[in-house]
Every structure is written in structure tokens, then in C-alpha cells.
Amino acid sequence: MSQQYPFQCNIAQALNIIGDKWSLLILHGIMSGHQAYKEIYNSLEGQIASNLLSSRLKALEADGLISSDLYQKHPPR
């Protein structure tokens, strides 16, 4: 995310995590039942670039908002 809020209040810290253009929409898609990468991508109607979706998902996972599970070990998916 490009803008970081230096304040210590809860709202500013929440904006630092989910305040970019796509994170709330991605979380909404996941909460609506879309769990696979392709389902999340399709729920956003292809308006987001694949590499941007991937980086946002990794950032949300790093922040502890979502978790990922492998559903196939070979090849990993």
C-alpha cells in the first residue's frame, strides 16, 4: 500500500492493513464463500490484475486476516 498512517489509533492501523483499493473487496469475496483463487478472481469480475490479486492475498495472509491451505500436494495448489 502506498500511504501509511503514522497514528497509533485503531482506525489508522486498520487502514494501514486494508485501506488499499482491493483488500476490502477481496475480503468480501472470501466472506461470501469464494475460497479458491479463481473464484476470488471471478468474484471481482476480472477487474483486478492477477499479479495484484496474488500480492494482496499474500499481504492479507501475512497480516493474519486470512490463511491458505494446500488442497493438493503435488503439484502444490
Side-chain angles (χ1 to χ4, degrees), residues 1 3-7 11-19 63:
M1 185 171 149
Q3 183 176 5
Q4 292 288 315
Y5 297 98
F7 310 110
I11 294 172
Q13 295 304 309
L15 285 173
N16 286 338
I17 296 172
I18 59 170
D63 290 331

Side-chain angles (χ1 to χ4, degrees), residues 11-72:
I11 294 172
Q13 295 304 309
L15 285 173
N16 286 338
I17 296 172
I18 59 170
D20 60 41
K21 183 176 180 179
W22 292 103
S23 292
L24 282 176
L25 293 172
I26 292 168
L27 288 173
H28 177 265
I30 292 170
M31 292 174 60
S32 296
H34 305 290
Q35 295 185 359
Y37 180 88
K38 192 69 170 174
E39 292 174 349
I40 298 167
Y41 181 79
N42 290 338
S43 75
L44 297 171
E45 300 175 1
Q47 297 293 316
I48 186 172
S50 182
N51 61 337
L52 185 58
L53 175 58
S54 178
S55 68
R56 292 293 194 267
L57 287 169
K58 288 176 185 174
L60 290 170
E61 184 178 17
D63 290 331
L65 294 174
I66 62 173
S67 63
S68 63
D69 295 321
L70 292 177
Y71 64 87
Q72 183 176 340

